[in-house]
């Protein structure tokens, strides 16, 4: 096995790699691997954090075609979301909480896109041409689910689609993830779907309103948690603008950023 070394700040430590190594078994058949799995992961993490083009990967990493191929292979297998879900449980248990959250927060973020790609539109309220990311996070700000769609879709419609996807995954999950979920906090943009969410999913969607007596910036209870998560994700330059051709790739990039942050937490 190639000696485990670190070259860039984005590279995994050995203890961090051990947390996810089981998801990337080395093949026992065919030719010996030229590049170790952790080296390929480091290349993907570098792209995610720096925002560089795949073709611009430094020569210290595997060839860009190799990193690109495995990124898409693991995306197609749903591996990024699986790893994210496992790490959420580990971080929650490490924080002394139940591995399955009982409360969550939902919000959206509009982001500009590069040219081309699917699901593009204009958020008329924020004057942003591109896509919208809908996040569902737990009370610690850990990403439970991300759904990316065109920016022109209203928050109420996008939020309902996001919660429907979350509900379906709970229903069909063999591990019954997030079965304790009862309460979801949101802002006023989701007020029109409160009753629909209660009837269809059995969850209480509680709207956290801004006080009319306070002028200027105001930290709102519970809602600040998801805003902080958007701030964390903003440190990953691949997410500063949506460069992905597909929404599924956009979602994977968010999960990868979430994974990188949680690996730092569970390995300390």
């Amino acid at each position: 096995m190639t000696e485990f070394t670190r070259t860039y700040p984005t590279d995994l430590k050995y203890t961090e790699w051990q947390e996810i190594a089981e998801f990337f078994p080395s093949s026992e058949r065919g030719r010996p691997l030229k590049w170790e799995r952790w080296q390929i992961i480091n290349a993907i993490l570098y792209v995610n954090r720096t925002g560089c083009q795949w073709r611009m990967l430094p020569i210290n990493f595997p060839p860009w075609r190799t990193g690109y191929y495995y990124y898409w292979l693991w995306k197609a297998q749903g591996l990024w979301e699986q790893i994210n879900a496992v790490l959420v449980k580990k971080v929650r248990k490490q924080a002394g909480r139940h591995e399955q959250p009982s409360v969550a927060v939902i919000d959206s973020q509009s982001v500009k896109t590069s040219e081309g790609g699917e699901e593009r539109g204009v958020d008329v309220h924020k004057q942003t041409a591109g896509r919208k990311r809908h996040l569902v996070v737990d009370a610690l700000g850990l990403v439970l689910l991300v759904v990316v769609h065109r920016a022109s879709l209203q928050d109420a419609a996008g939020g309902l689609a996001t919660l429907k996807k979350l509900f379906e995954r709970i229903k069909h999950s063999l591990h019954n993830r997030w079965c304790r979920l009862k309460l979801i906090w949101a802002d006023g943009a989701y007020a029109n779907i409160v009753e629909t969410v209660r009837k269809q999913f059995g969850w209480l969607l509680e709207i956290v309103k801004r006080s009319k007596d306070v002028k200027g910036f105001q930290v709102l209870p519970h809602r600040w948690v998801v805003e902080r998560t958007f701030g964390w994700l903003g440190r990953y330059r691949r997410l500063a603008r949506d460069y992905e051709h597909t929404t599924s790739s956009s979602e994977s990039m968010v999960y990868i950023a979430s994974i990188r942050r949680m690996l730092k937490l569970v390995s300390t």
Side-chain angles (χ1 to χ4, degrees), residues 12 16-25 37 41 44-45 70 74-75 77-91 142-144 177-178 252 254-263 266:
L12 294 170
E16 293 172 337
W17 166 243
Q18 291 303 304
E19 294 289 342
I20 61 173
E22 63 181 293
F23 292 97
F24 305 97
R37 293 291 189 253
I41 296 294
I44 295 171
L45 293 177
Y70 279 102
W74 294 331
K75 182 191 76 68
Q77 294 173 346
L79 207 54
W80 303 122
E81 187 173 353
Q82 293 175 34
I83 297 172
N84 183 80
V86 170
L87 290 179
V88 165
K89 294 180 180 180
K90 288 186 177 182
V91 174
L142 307 177
V143 177
L144 303 180
R177 290 181 294 174
W178 312 318
S252 292
V254 174
Y255 284 126
I256 291 171
S258 173
I259 289 168
R260 188 66 191 94
R261 179 179 175 272
M262 287 191 292
L263 283 175
V266 297

Side-chain angles (χ1 to χ4, degrees), residues 3-200:
E3 183 182 356
F4 201 97
T5 59
R6 297 184 67 209
T7 305
Y8 298 96
T10 53
D11 289 354
L12 294 170
K13 298 178 182 178
Y14 180 75
T15 53
E16 293 172 337
W17 166 243
Q18 291 303 304
E19 294 289 342
I20 61 173
E22 63 181 293
F23 292 97
F24 305 97
S26 298
S27 176
E28 297 180 356
R29 297 182 179 180
R31 295 183 303 173
L33 293 175
K34 183 176 180 180
W35 300 97
E36 298 290 345
R37 293 291 189 253
W38 59 267
Q39 293 174 305
I40 298 173
I41 296 294
N42 282 344
I44 295 171
L45 293 177
Y46 184 89
V47 170
N48 184 256
R49 184 60 188 250
T50 66
C52 79
Q53 297 175 339
W54 286 99
R55 295 174 184 268
M56 299 297 182
L57 272 172
I59 60 174
N60 309 72
F61 293 115
W64 75 268
R65 293 182 185 275
T66 300
Y68 188 72
Y69 167 79
Y70 279 102
Y71 162 74
W72 279 94
L73 174 65
W74 294 331
K75 182 191 76 68
Q77 294 173 346
L79 207 54
W80 303 122
E81 187 173 353
Q82 293 175 34
I83 297 172
N84 183 80
V86 170
L87 290 179
V88 165
K89 294 180 180 180
K90 288 186 177 182
V91 174
R92 286 184 58 85
K93 290 178 69 175
Q94 183 173 288
R97 295 174 178 259
H98 194 285
E99 65 178 22
Q100 298 172 340
S102 60
V103 299
V105 192
I106 186 173
D107 203 358
S108 69
Q109 176 191 55
S110 295
V111 59
K112 293 181 179 180
T113 58
S114 57
E115 67 280 0
E118 64 181 17
E119 284 285 313
R120 301 171 69 230
V122 179
D123 184 339
V124 294
H125 296 291
K126 299 180 181 178
Q127 292 299 302
T128 301
R131 294 179 182 143
K132 189 176 289 185
R133 299 178 184 131
H134 254 101
L135 283 190
V136 180
V137 304
D138 70 353
L140 298 177
L142 307 177
V143 177
L144 303 180
L145 182 70
V146 56
V147 173
V148 177
H149 53 77
R150 66 184 186 277
S152 56
L153 190 65
Q154 296 297 314
D155 279 354
L160 186 60
T162 301
L163 294 178
K164 181 179 180 181
K165 187 173 182 179
L166 178 62
F167 180 79
E168 290 175 348
R169 293 192 178 182
I170 294 173
K171 183 178 179 181
H172 296 100
S173 173
L174 295 177
H175 302 290
N176 201 22
R177 290 181 294 174
W178 312 318
C179 62
R180 298 175 67 247
L181 187 58
K182 302 297 181 183
L183 172 64
I184 302 174
W185 288 300
D187 63 25
Y190 303 89
N192 293 336
I193 64 172
V194 171
E195 191 62 22
T196 303
V197 170
R198 184 187 66 81
K199 290 181 178 179
Q200 291 189 11

